[in-house]
Amino acid sequence: MFSQPFQPVQPDRVHFGATQFLMGSNDFYPEERPQRLVQVNGFQIDILPVRNLDFARFVQATGYITL
């Protein structure tokens, strides 16, 4: 279903496993409709926020272009 290459969790990251949840609402704003069951792959996220210096190093290393 949702398989992906998986790296071991690093000490400065937290892992969230794959899951399903109800997204949206049928009761409020039209753009939230319809309420539906969605599936999300597991993922890892850094515990600390990204600093400007960290992002600048990422851009330098990868050539990433942002607006």
Side-chain angles (χ1 to χ4, degrees):
M1 178 187 302
F2 280 95
S3 62
Q4 60 187 23
F6 184 75
Q7 302 281 331
V9 176
Q10 298 173 3
D12 56 347
R13 292 181 161 214
V14 63
H15 174 76
F16 293 91
T19 190
Q20 297 179 343
F21 70 97
L22 285 173
M23 185 168 87
S25 171
N26 295 324
D27 301 326
F28 299 104
Y29 303 105
E31 62 271 15
E32 295 177 349
R33 295 183 183 129
Q35 186 177 49
R36 62 232 176 250
L37 183 66
V38 295
Q39 297 184 358
V40 180
N41 283 334
F43 63 95
Q44 296 179 32
I45 190 166
D46 287 345
I47 295 171
L48 301 173
V50 175
R51 300 172 301 164
N52 289 341
L53 178 61
D54 300 326
F55 185 71
R57 288 177 178 160
F58 163 78
V59 169
Q60 183 68 30
T62 66
Y64 181 80
I65 299 174
T66 186
L67 299 177

